Amino acid sequence: MRTSTLLAISGYVSSTLATQGFNYGSLSTTGAANNQVDFQALFSTAKNLAGTSGSFSSARLYTTIQAGTVNDPISAIPAAIAESTTLLLGMWASSGQMTINNEIQALKTAINKYGTSFTNLVTGISVGSEDLYRITPTALMNDPKNVGAGPSTLVSYINQVRDAISTTSLSQVPIGHVDTWTGWVNGSNADVIKAVDWIGMNTFPYFQAFDGNGIENGAALFKEAYTATQGVSGGKSVWVTETGWPVSGQTSANAVANVQNAKTYWDQVGCPLFGNKNTWWYTLFDSTSSPSFGIVGPTLSTNPLFDLTCSASSSALMSQVSESRTATEAAQPSPSAGESVNIQSSTPGSSGDAGATATGAASSGGPSRSTGTHTTTGTISGSSRSPQDVTGIASVQPLMGGAFIAVVAAMFAAA
């Protein structure tokens, strides 16, 4: 048996009150582009959720481009200004140089159009989302058309964004990259860590099919992912950019998707994070997704599916609770590049990874997830994304994701 303390508070709690919010895609559940009214409704709902005292006042975006346009600024920006919602801006980085050019142009246009009313709300800029994962063999097996970007490409994009904002009111805003925790611990991606100011970590124990991923191990698996990422961060801040537990959907190995387990994960993982670590929960609303991670259910409402109140005891839980798991259930220690170990997917599909359209406009994406393998060549794979655009993780590809892909991956692993 192995007993592990879930969290060492000394390395976890920030010195200032942290940002917390949700992830938001560029399209609605109908497939139409979210406009300012749509984004305002989402941001207002988040801030007025029962049991949260208005603390969910930040929005993570996957693109800075308004869906259906080439490089117009996303309508989430004026919505955020109207709702006093801070922004973790996103720039889609898996569709080539032209898309990055358009993302930068959209950002420059927004700066000129909205001025400090906009820039004062920007918490950070993420250049890319899970691009490192999508170049791994597992991701390419799941979706060969949804190719990511390599470390050298991302470093180039990051430097281009730095140059673009260097003489603007965003010049002091920290730039980062978001990826699966398995992508971060892959030593071949170390140059990206050197290039960023902060690291965005996505992790979803629900999808870790070979890690004893029942809800009783959810907090421990989260802690392992966070600790592994922190261990390779070079002292840079690790932001939790996606995590959550589904309220409904397929069972993934030992992980059952239901409201009770979603609340347990919120209490044991979310509550210790909120106010202590920059966190964007997955997610507020994804009515057409399966599995569904939306905490308010199929209808946008300020009344969530479960009690979101964080008590003093639940907020301290990760620093106090010990988790016992058998050696076979325990996740592997952090691997180094070239080491051959089995390591599992840690993140699900998201409401909004943006993929470029034929005209260069970015749209948000849904997920597909599978287990991953760290191969002898040093490739660590975790989750996958597909560029279909909805507010949640549903669309054609996502409906074939999650449990379906986990089964396929397991078949290959057994072969």
Side-chain angles (χ1 to χ4, degrees):
M1 302 290 286
R2 185 186 70 171
T3 300
S4 60
T5 301
L6 295 191
L7 214 44
I9 280 291
S10 60
Y12 190 77
V13 176
S14 63
S15 58
T16 59
L17 190 63
T19 297
Q20 62 195 60
F22 295 101
N23 293 265
Y24 298 93
S26 63
L27 299 186
S28 72
T29 56
T30 66
N34 276 327
N35 57 33
Q36 182 177 342
V37 172
D38 298 320
F39 279 116
Q40 281 190 231
L42 290 164
F43 298 165
S44 176
T45 298
K47 289 200 305 179
N48 290 286
L49 284 169
T52 66
S53 301
S55 57
F56 284 84
S57 57
S58 189
R60 177 187 170 225
L61 307 177
Y62 294 84
T63 178
T64 306
I65 301 173
Q66 176 65 16
T69 74
V70 174
N71 53 27
D72 291 348
I74 192 168
S75 296
I77 293 173
I81 295 170
E83 293 295 330
S84 298
T85 293
T86 63
L87 293 169
L88 173 53
L89 297 176
M91 299 190 133
W92 189 248
S94 283
S95 298
Q97 183 63 55
M98 180 176 292
T99 298
I100 284 295
N101 292 344
N102 287 330
E103 292 279 3
I104 291 173
Q105 184 57 55
L107 181 58
K108 288 181 174 180
T109 301
I111 294 170
N112 292 332
K113 183 175 182 178
Y114 301 109
T116 55
S117 295
F118 159 50
T119 59
N120 287 346
L121 294 174
V122 178
T123 299
I125 300 173
S126 172
V127 180
S129 180
E130 297 197 350
D131 311 271
L132 297 173
Y133 168 72
R134 284 195 303 276
I135 63 171
T136 62
T138 299
L140 294 173
M141 179 187 74
N142 294 339
D143 188 354
K145 295 181 180 180
N146 191 22
V147 181
S152 61
T153 299
L154 287 176
V155 170
S156 173
Y157 292 166
I158 290 165
N159 290 335
Q160 290 176 51
V161 173
R162 284 197 192 280
D163 290 342
I165 66 173
S166 62
T167 59
T168 74
S169 52
L170 289 178
S171 61
Q172 300 303 309
V173 169
I175 295 175
H177 170 72
V178 171
D179 229 293
T180 63
W181 74 272
T182 53
W184 288 121
V185 300
N186 183 347
S188 64
N189 297 325
D191 285 347
V192 179
I193 296 175
K194 295 175 184 176
V196 297
D197 302 315
W198 55 270
I199 291 170
M201 182 199 74
N202 293 352
T203 181
F204 290 81
Y206 167 80
F207 289 99
Q208 295 184 230
F210 298 124
D211 278 347
N213 64 336
I215 189 59
E216 67 277 6
N217 291 329
L221 289 171
F222 174 88
K223 183 266 180 179
E224 288 167 355
Y226 182 88
T227 301
T229 305
Q230 192 175 49
V232 299
S233 68
K236 295 180 179 179
S237 181
V238 177
W239 297 1
V240 180
T241 40
E242 288 183 31
T243 198
W245 195 278
V247 297
S248 65
Q250 312 96 320
T251 295
S252 172
N254 296 324
V256 177
N258 61 32
V259 172
Q260 179 181 351
N261 288 346
K263 173 173 172 49
T264 296
Y265 193 77
W266 177 278
D267 290 345
Q268 294 184 353
V269 174
C271 288
L273 287 170
F274 303 145
N276 293 320
K277 194 71 181 175
N278 286 350
T279 302
W280 289 267
W281 198 256
Y282 193 83
T283 193
L284 175 69
F285 179 62
D286 63 349
S287 66
T288 61
S289 299
S290 181
S292 171
F293 287 74
I295 63 170
V296 300
T299 303
L300 191 62
S301 170
T302 57
N303 295 314
L305 296 176
F306 54 86
D307 184 5
L308 303 182
T309 304
C310 289
S311 65
S313 59
S314 66
S315 295
L317 188 61
M318 275 196 164
S319 66
Q320 299 171 346
V321 176
S322 292
E323 189 76 30
S324 295
R325 299 201 283 144
T326 65
T328 55
E329 287 177 321
Q332 299 288 347
S334 301
S336 57
E339 177 188 3
S340 180
V341 299
N342 234 2
I343 194 164
Q344 311 309 324
S345 158
S346 58
T347 67
S350 107
S351 84
D353 282 359
T357 68
T359 62
S363 62
S364 69
S368 23
R369 293 294 183 199
S370 73
T371 58
T373 301
H374 177 200
T375 70
T376 54
T377 61
T379 298
I380 299 178
S381 52
S383 65
S384 72
R385 299 284 182 177
S386 62
Q388 283 76 11
D389 195 356
V390 287
T391 53
I393 57 176
S395 65
V396 177
Q397 176 65 27
L399 290 175
M400 296 182 65
F404 174 81
I405 293 179
V407 170
V408 173
M411 291 171 60
F412 277 91

